[in-house]
Amino acid sequence: FGFLAGVGSTLAEPALSALGDTVEALTKGKFKKMSLIGAVALGVGLGITMGLCKIRYHLNLFWLLLTCYSFAFALTVVSDEAMTCVAWDSAGVTTGPVTVPIVLALGGAVARSNHVAEGFGILSCASVGPIVCVLLAAKLRGPTTGATPAAAASNT
């Protein structure tokens, strides 16, 4: 359920559509808007699932995030600058007006049902998911060069 809630709430985020338009212009159509939206939604869904596993199985949030962000940094090193900027900015979708209430309510409900004191950590896990998924999608798609982040900003 957490995965579907994450994907659904992400698809409903209004800012993600604008980011998708910018990315498509930035890459001159090589990275489509729907590819970005799909990668971000998948990342949020997987991140929320990871956060729910953290609560259910009493995983240590520090080690979970250290591992995930280390992977994100490693992908950043081997990715082109434009897609790196897009990927790290895409994590901001998890702070949108649709996603936050759903994630926080879900965390509280899962914490209560598992008899733990708090449900914190889901949002932080949901934030790293889009970074990793967008960087992986860009790597699988191949080179997306053709514009710099500054050029994309002037297009919006």
Side-chain angles (χ1 to χ4, degrees):
F1 176 76
F3 177 80
L4 293 177
V7 169
S9 65
T10 302
L11 293 175
E13 284 293 349
L16 188 55
S17 181
L19 181 62
D21 290 334
T22 302
V23 169
E24 198 162 338
L26 170 73
T27 62
K28 296 186 167 113
K30 291 179 184 169
F31 199 94
K32 301 288 184 202
K33 174 181 178 176
M34 290 311 296
S35 296
L36 176 76
I37 291 172
V40 172
L42 176 66
V44 172
L46 291 173
I48 288 175
T49 301
M50 183 173 53
L52 293 174
C53 287
K54 175 248 178 223
I55 293 170
R56 177 71 179 107
Y57 300 110
H58 308 287
L59 302 175
N60 186 301
L61 183 62
F62 173 80
W63 294 111
L64 198 59
L65 292 178
L66 181 67
T67 302
C68 292
Y69 275 102
S70 295
F71 186 56
F73 284 132
L75 286 171
T76 297
V77 170
V78 297
S79 298
D80 66 56
E81 182 182 359
M83 288 312 296
T84 296
C85 293
V86 168
W88 285 87
D89 282 351
S90 71
V93 77
T94 60
T95 61
V98 178
T99 306
V100 169
I102 291 171
V103 171
L104 292 179
L106 184 61
V110 170
R112 277 190 302 280
S113 69
N114 283 282
H115 308 293
V116 295
E118 45 81 17
F120 295 113
I122 296 177
L123 199 55
S124 58
C125 291
S127 293
V128 72
I131 298 167
V132 170
C133 284
V134 170
L135 288 172
L136 284 174
K139 293 306 283 177
L140 292 173
R141 246 191 189 357
T144 55
T145 55
T148 63
S154 67
N155 290 339
T156 56

